[in-house]
Amino acid sequence: MILSSAVQRAILSQSRAAAGAARQINSLSRRPASALAACQGGASSATGVVSIGDAHAADFNNHPRRRRAFSTAAVRDEPAPSPTPSEHTAADSSEKSFVPSPGRKYRFFRNVEVTPAGVAVIRFDNREKKVNTLSFELMHEAKAMWDAEVHANADVKSVVFTSAKESGFVAGADIFDISSVEDKSTLVPVIEEALDFFLHMKSKGAPMVAAIHGPALGGGLEWALWCDYRICTDSSSTKMGLPEVKLGLLPGFGGTQNLPALVGVQGAIDIMLTGKDIRPKKAKQMGLVDLVVAPQSLEAVAIETAEGLANGTVRKSGPKKKSLVNRLVEDTPPGRHVMWNQVKKMVDKNTAGNYPAPYEIIDCVKYGLANPDGLGKYKHEREGFAKLAATSESESLIGIFDGMNKLKKHDSDASPVPVRKVAVMGAGLMGAGIAQVTAEKGYDVLLKDRDDASLGRGVSYMTDNWSKKTKRRRMTQYQNNLNQSRVTPLSDATPSWPRHFAGADLVIEAVFENLELKRKIISQVEEVTPDHCVFATNTSAIPIADIAAPGPEVSRPQNVVGMHYFSPVPSMPLLEIIPHEGTSEEATATAFAVGTKQGKTCVVVKDVPGFYVNRCLGPVLVETSALVKEGVPLEKMDKAMKSFGMPVGPITLMDEVGIDVGSKVASYLSGADLDVRMTGGDISLMSTMVDKGWLGKKSGKGFYTYSGKKGKKIGPEMRAFLTEFTGGATSDLAETDIQDRITARLVNEAAKCLEDGIIADPVAGDIGLVFGIGFAPFRGGPFRYLDTVGVTSFVDRMNGFADAHGGQFEPCQLLKDYAASGKRFH
């Protein structure tokens, strides 16, 4: 099923808040998005920082956690209890020690080259990673390199900073350098040392040019902002931004001061508060870069520009000239007053006050405007950075980012089946979405449906999405054409479809939630596909073991695995992979490898009713009905859970998912194995509404009555129905009690899933609910939330609810054990 764009934006905004990287997280802006897991599945659905830079995500897992500073202190072998700016620990033994040689003097840079005209070309090149990132050690080496080869070298008249890697300029700061520091206040002198280095570079008086290809994010862009001129390529991979806010931080290397001075306050605030990427054309328009060139020309143009800056034939970059309106807004007291009021309103609305980083960014910019002279503004900035680094919100967001990258590696020695061609059965919204992300990642795709009309709708869905990306310059026309060429549409009426399927390595089925139909499709597929072909079923309810049960329809059960996507597939980052007991390790590894390449964060879960995400939502639906029965106002419930940090409240959620779908999920899980945990409410609330035709927003009436795009209210019919359902009961239950009761049911079920081995560890549990239902990212997921509030306190709260309301609130044994021992999940 399809949620309204408003709820899609809200939920995906929550999940993006967690991932920075890789797939865009904690943006303060609302972006197109998604549906909740409860409404996912097959065609039942189909019918209706990132380091502080997302490119760093690829190498995040392998980076050793160590404390460093860019000082000249000797390496220490023993860990320091609290690192200071003059200390750093030895490198992890898994990391190769660097031995300088004439051909390679530096670990993080290529050897400096000086042209005959006196241009020093300095190329970032982290020899141990696919991407360049800023670390304490890099800054230490950069300082030594600058002093040895540039600063006192009279032959050097100007400098070009560029990258030797095709992967990009600098993807951001190494977040482990920050998270590994226990006493965050020690970051202040560390950052000051970095700032002193940038000022030291400026003091030479040699013009500096930043030549950017690929990502220049976070600290990478801040480095470029210290230069006198910026040039970038017109490549689709080139993007610039300061996404620190996504990890609960702020730009700490002068970004909050240098960016507003360059592009204006409004443009800078927009970049820093949203953490969004700026593409080349926009960067040139707003004055972030001075030139945009083809990738092949970048270094030559940069060297030529550096020569011109040195001899006076090229002017240094300056702030973009402001329009009269912008001067009135940004440079006059009344204008600034209005501007800051509007900015605060926007932040209040989009964060509900739950994220401190945006407010700290605003404070730093305002401080710099009030104190433009001297270095005090940079001191204020780094103090703000250290303060944010010590917050639980930043710890949670970094924890999610860390966890997301840990999940990139499948914990198995089995090798996946090499996959070149993927067949997708079912061209509804779910199937078409799967086909789209699969083609975008370079696979040949067979998209099959029963008739040409259904197939055409699926193809149109993909081509429309690619056209939008092309129009918004997120994709070149060449890439658009290439994606389309990879998809072969097929229907039952296509005589050659069996021949095409004979080359399929993976089949992903996304048809109706019907066991007989799914087994029939397996039978059809097994007749025409090679023995190694893996069959993945996209289902939200039917046990994988039932679908794969050996019989006349299924002869290769070991090749069957569940791949539970979340809708809309192109936007949602989560994928649940569900092997049944007979699934081979190779089949599971194949599903994991393909899902990861599709851009999904994969969580392997046990084959149980509801799997993980939907299973956790079941008790929430029941508890919501219990609160309604007690007479808690619907609007109050929605407001309470949004205040907690959820993307939407439970009442709006059910309307958006569809009352019929919610009723089906609740009924299914009530008859499953959750026992008392699915009691305590009255789910006839939803079934009665279904009988009345009140199916939620899709029918114009659910708990709320809908009119227009944004209009909704509780109509007189619903008020009369609620009076009948509650027996006239009313409740003035406190907001915190509403939050605690709903959260207790959700978090306890997550813990029960860990206890029962449905999920492998707390990391998977946190990522699953943050990416699947938008569990408040600033709380870090259910298990980080438990660590924050204290497991003992949480268990005591649940015991109190159990005494008052019944056994559905009985905490699971794992929580009792953790409370008794004082253990933490992270």
Side-chain angles (χ1 to χ4, degrees):
M1 78 279 342
I2 310 167
L3 300 192
S4 74
S5 59
V7 171
Q8 289 179 353
R9 285 196 301 270
I11 298 171
L12 190 61
S13 179
Q14 292 288 67
S15 66
R16 280 178 174 169
R23 254 84 39 206
Q24 325 333 326
I25 308 178
N26 188 28
S27 171
L28 300 179
S29 60
R30 301 300 187 184
R31 303 175 186 169
S34 87
L36 286 181
C39 61
Q40 312 314 320
S44 58
S45 305
T47 55
V49 54
V50 216
S51 71
I52 306 180
D54 54 7
H56 181 29
D59 294 294
F60 203 100
N61 270 343
N62 299 321
H63 197 289
R65 297 173 181 265
R66 12 176 227 285
R67 304 182 182 98
R68 303 190 188 103
F70 37 92
S71 69
T72 56
V75 175
R76 295 174 46 160
D77 292 326
E78 70 282 5
S82 181
T84 69
S86 61
E87 298 174 349
H88 63 279
T89 62
D92 187 275
S93 59
S94 64
E95 183 174 291
K96 299 177 182 177
S97 58
F98 174 69
V99 179
S101 67
R104 179 81 191 210
K105 298 180 183 179
Y106 305 106
R107 177 178 165 194
F108 301 101
F109 299 88
R110 292 280 180 92
N111 289 357
V112 178
E113 295 180 12
V114 181
T115 71
V119 179
V121 182
I122 300 175
R123 301 178 181 89
F124 292 98
D125 185 22
N126 187 330
R127 62 188 293 273
E128 292 146 5
K129 293 185 179 181
K130 295 179 181 179
V131 297
N132 297 314
T133 57
L134 297 188
S135 65
F136 295 167
E137 289 182 341
L138 179 145
M139 296 298 290
H140 170 75
E141 184 177 82
K143 181 180 179 182
M145 175 189 66
W146 182 269
D147 285 342
E149 303 204 35
V150 179
H151 200 75
N153 188 344
D155 292 335
V156 174
K157 309 300 182 183
S158 56
V159 180
V160 169
F161 290 106
T162 189
S163 172
K165 294 183 183 293
E166 181 63 27
S167 59
F169 185 69
V170 177
D174 188 331
I175 205 63
F176 277 148
D177 272 354
I178 298 167
S179 62
S180 64
V181 175
E182 295 177 11
D183 181 358
K184 305 303 184 188
S185 66
T186 62
L187 289 170
V188 174
V190 173
I191 298 173
E192 182 179 13
E193 200 171 343
L195 188 76
D196 287 345
F197 169 60
F198 289 126
L199 294 173
H200 180 55
M201 288 199 303
K202 298 286 285 186
S203 71
K204 177 176 173 60
M208 297 185 292
V209 176
I212 299 167
H213 171 71
L217 301 170
L221 180 57
E222 288 186 278
W223 190 299
L225 289 174
W226 283 100
C227 293
D228 303 290
Y229 209 91
R230 283 154 297 280
I231 306 171
C232 76
T233 70
D234 58 6
S235 169
S236 60
S237 68
T238 297
K239 54 186 177 180
M240 290 148 279
L242 296 176
E244 286 86 351
V245 69
K246 297 178 182 182
L247 295 180
L249 299 169
L250 56 75
F253 294 143
T256 66
Q257 308 306 312
N258 296 341
L259 186 61
L262 184 64
V263 304
V265 177
Q266 295 171 87
I269 281 290
D270 182 48
I271 290 172
M272 291 187 288
L273 294 190
T274 64
K276 66 184 180 182
D277 298 333
I278 305 298
R279 300 289 170 168
K281 183 179 179 181
K282 177 66 173 178
K284 178 66 169 66
Q285 290 174 344
M286 70 189 309
L288 183 57
V289 299
D290 301 278
L291 284 177
V292 178
V293 301
Q296 309 92 295
S297 307
L298 179 62
E299 190 166 305
V301 173
I303 292 172
E304 184 180 353
T305 301
E307 291 178 9
L309 288 168
N311 63 33
T313 59
V314 176
R315 286 186 177 183
K316 285 187 178 182
S317 175
K320 187 174 179 63
K321 186 176 181 180
K322 297 180 182 179
S323 67
L324 175 60
V325 172
N326 282 345
R327 289 203 303 273
L328 290 173
V329 171
E330 298 182 11
D331 301 335
T332 68
R336 285 183 181 178
H337 177 76
V338 172
M339 176 182 68
W340 290 123
N341 278 343
Q342 292 302 312
V343 169
K344 186 178 185 301
K345 285 181 182 178
M346 181 272 290
V347 173
D348 289 344
K349 178 181 179 181
N350 290 333
T351 70
N354 291 322
Y355 295 84
Y359 298 98
E360 196 68 35
I361 290 171
I362 293 169
D363 177 68
C364 286
V365 176
K366 293 173 74 172
Y367 186 92
L369 293 174
N371 302 273
D373 300 323
L375 301 179
K377 56 189 177 183
Y378 298 112
K379 179 176 182 293
H380 188 79
E381 178 191 76
R382 59 180 171 266
E383 289 174 347
F385 183 97
K387 181 166 67 174
L388 289 174
T391 63
S392 62
E393 292 84 0
S394 180
E395 181 183 6
S396 294
L397 292 171
I398 291 173
I400 293 170
F401 184 78
D402 187 9
M404 180 187 74
N405 288 283
K406 286 179 179 177
L407 291 176
K408 288 183 182 294
K409 180 175 173 56
H410 180 44
D411 188 19
S412 172
D413 294 331
S415 298
V417 171
V419 175
R420 184 185 65 84
K421 182 178 290 186
V422 178
V424 180
M425 301 288 286
L429 293 182
M430 186 68 78
I434 295 170
Q436 176 184 326
V437 299
T438 306
E440 288 176 352
K441 298 305 179 180
Y443 292 107
D444 292 332
V445 177
L446 308 175
L447 179 61
K448 184 178 181 296
D449 211 312
R450 62 181 181 274
D451 54 52
D452 290 340
S454 300
L455 186 62
R457 286 190 291 270
V459 172
S460 293
Y461 174 84
M462 291 187 294
T463 56
D464 288 348
N465 284 344
W466 287 329
S467 294
K468 290 175 184 177
K469 286 188 175 184
T470 303
K471 185 177 180 179
R472 295 168 183 168
R473 299 181 182 274
R474 296 293 184 267
M475 177 184 291
T476 64
Q477 186 60 55
Y478 170 78
Q479 189 64 52
N480 186 332
N481 296 340
L482 188 60
N483 290 338
Q484 294 190 50
S485 72
R486 290 181 179 134
V487 180
T488 302
L490 304 164
S491 72
D492 288 349
T494 308
S496 61
W497 79 261
R499 177 170 55 81
H500 287 286
F501 269 64
D505 306 300
L506 169 67
V507 175
I508 304 175
E509 163 269 304
V511 301
F512 292 97
E513 288 285 84
N514 180 285
L515 176 60
E516 184 179 348
L517 176 59
K518 290 178 182 289
R519 287 179 60 82
K520 179 181 178 181
I521 289 176
I522 294 179
S523 178
Q524 293 175 345
V525 166
E526 287 187 339
E527 288 181 3
V528 296
T529 56
D531 290 344
H532 72 264
C533 182
V534 174
F535 185 92
T537 176
N538 178 56
T539 176
S540 61
I542 304 174
I544 310 303
D546 290 351
I547 297 173
E553 304 95 339
V554 182
S555 62
R556 304 197 294 256
Q558 71 277 8
N559 288 4
V560 180
V561 65
M563 291 180 76
H564 179 206
Y565 292 85
F566 294 73
S567 182
V569 177
S571 301
M572 286 298 283
L574 187 67
L575 173 63
E576 287 183 316
I577 295 177
I578 313 104
H580 63 91
E581 287 191 2
T583 300
S584 71
E585 286 290 328
E586 290 77 13
T588 303
T590 302
F592 194 98
V594 172
T596 300
K597 188 172 179 179
Q598 287 172 332
K600 305 304 176 185
T601 295
C602 301
V603 177
V604 179
V605 301
K606 197 173 181 180
D607 185 18
V608 295
F611 311 134
Y612 173 59
V613 176
N614 286 351
R615 192 175 179 90
C616 290
L617 278 174
V620 172
L621 295 175
V622 177
E623 189 58 28
T624 299
S625 72
L627 292 169
V628 173
K629 188 81 170 181
E630 293 173 24
V632 178
L634 305 185
E635 304 99 319
K636 190 173 184 178
M637 267 189 276
D638 273 351
K639 181 177 180 295
M641 294 315 295
K642 287 197 69 175
S643 295
F644 178 81
M646 303 300 283
V648 293
I651 302 301
T652 295
L653 170 65
M654 286 195 282
D655 265 6
E656 297 286 352
V657 166
I659 305 301
D660 53 338
V661 176
S663 179
K664 183 182 296 185
V665 170
S667 297
Y668 173 73
L669 290 178
S670 293
D673 59 342
L674 279 76
D675 300 323
V676 71
R677 302 195 306 281
M678 282 297 291
T679 66
D682 186 351
I683 60 175
S684 71
L685 167 69
M686 290 175 282
S687 61
T688 303
M689 291 174 66
V690 172
D691 292 341
K692 291 177 177 290
W694 300 349
L695 305 184
K697 190 170 185 179
K698 62 187 174 185
S699 67
K701 184 183 293 184
F703 287 101
Y704 296 104
T705 299
Y706 297 85
S707 60
K709 290 185 177 181
K710 296 184 178 180
K712 73 174 184 180
K713 63 180 180 179
I714 299 177
E717 289 181 295
M718 174 52 65
R719 294 193 185 278
F721 170 68
L722 289 175
T723 299
E724 179 183 349
F725 179 75
T726 64
T730 59
S731 173
D732 60 352
L733 195 65
E735 181 177 272
T736 53
D737 288 332
I738 296 171
Q739 293 170 344
D740 289 347
R741 283 178 57 175
I742 292 177
T743 303
R745 301 291 294 271
L746 176 65
V747 174
N748 185 58
E749 193 58 42
K752 181 64 176 172
C753 286
L754 180 61
E755 178 183 309
D756 291 346
I758 296 169
I759 52 175
D761 50 43
V763 171
D766 284 339
I767 296 299
L769 290 193
V770 171
F771 285 7
I773 67 170
F775 189 99
F778 72 92
R779 299 185 187 276
F783 295 100
R784 286 194 181 275
Y785 171 71
L786 282 167
D787 286 345
T788 300
V789 301
V791 182
T792 300
S793 175
F794 189 84
V795 166
D796 288 344
R797 183 192 306 165
M798 288 202 70
N799 285 332
F801 285 142
D803 292 341
H805 303 289
Q808 69 271 21
F809 282 101
E810 178 76 17
C812 70
Q813 189 60 47
L814 182 67
L815 288 181
K816 293 177 182 178
D817 292 345
Y818 270 58
S821 65
K823 289 178 64 177
R824 293 169 56 90
F825 288 99
H826 292 284

